[in-house]
Amino acid sequence: GENVEQHPSTLSVQEGDSAVIKCTYSDSASNYFPWYKQELGKRPQLIIDIRSNVGEKKDQRIAVTLNKTAKHFSLHITETQPEDSAVYFCAGGGSQGNLIFGKGTKLSVKP
Amino acid sequence: EPEVTQTPSHQVTQMGQEVILRCVPISNHLYFYWYRQILGQKVEFLVSFYNNEISEKSEIFDDQFSVERPDGSNFTLKIRSTKLEDSAMYFCASKGEQGSTEAFFGQGTRLTVV
């Protein structure tokens, strides 16, 4: 089955800097890669996703890149703000939609 | 905006007791999921449900677990004999038709087994 590895487990940046979180996946059949933001005690919220037929996707300060050959995908947050502080999870999934999550990255943005 | 709703928000139960966690998915969605998240850990897939049957389940989803869609609107997760290690946040999620991608998560039920 699918296995998703995520790095780093914690990330601390200064406000205004960029943050990059990386994930790898094992199952070449996975074709959908969402990123979720989870604030303490709340549900995971989808922030951006990418399908395997696309190499890059951007939404304002957030971008995701996918390298199918290497089975890598990354989340890039530019101009970070304190409200970006949260735990971010990557996930991989197939056509049935069940997602296998990475272990999460705790992002702290210091003002 | 439509959302997935879960009840109760917090359930405390004695070890060995049965619990039922309830979810109302978004009304026109076709795919339903349960995930769990032990405190401070990652979100783990339990089971997916489509066309009134389980389509996939993880190793966590053993004989103690079952799911049901009893009336076309509710989607329930039953744990027959709870163990201490079942304590976690349980999230229900739903997704639209084939080819749609985004899964919408409920706010979760925190299960505490004592």
Side-chain angles (χ1 to χ4, degrees), chain A residues 23-111:
Chain A
C23 289
T24 61
Y25 63 99
S26 61
D27 189 350
S28 55
S30 291
N31 58 13
Y32 174 62
F33 305 95
W35 286 88
Y36 286 85
K37 175 182 181 182
Q38 188 178 34
E39 295 173 340
L40 193 63
K42 296 193 175 179
R43 76 185 86 187
Q45 296 269 21
L46 180 73
I47 56 170
I48 196 167
D49 56 12
I50 192 166
R51 301 199 74 163
S52 58
N53 58 349
V54 175
E56 185 173 356
K57 184 175 176 181
K58 191 172 181 181
D59 182 4
Q60 300 182 345
R61 297 187 295 108
I62 295 172
V64 57
T65 58
L66 171 64
N67 182 329
K68 271 174 45 178
T69 304
K71 298 197 186 81
H72 289 174
F73 58 114
S74 301
L75 177 72
H76 304 251
I77 306 174
T78 58
E79 300 171 28
T80 53
Q81 301 164 3
E83 50 266 39
D84 293 330
S85 297
V87 179
Y88 291 81
F89 291 96
C90 64
S95 57
Q96 290 295 324
N98 44 296
L99 299 172
I100 303 302
F101 284 77
K103 290 186 177 181
T105 296
K106 184 176 181 181
L107 174 65
S108 300
V109 181
K110 300 187 176 181

Side-chain angles (χ1 to χ4, degrees), chain A residues 2-16:
Chain A
E2 177 66 283
N3 182 47
V4 176
E5 299 286 341
Q6 182 172 348
H7 301 279
S9 56
T10 60
L11 180 59
S12 182
V13 299
Q14 285 294 130
E15 182 177 359

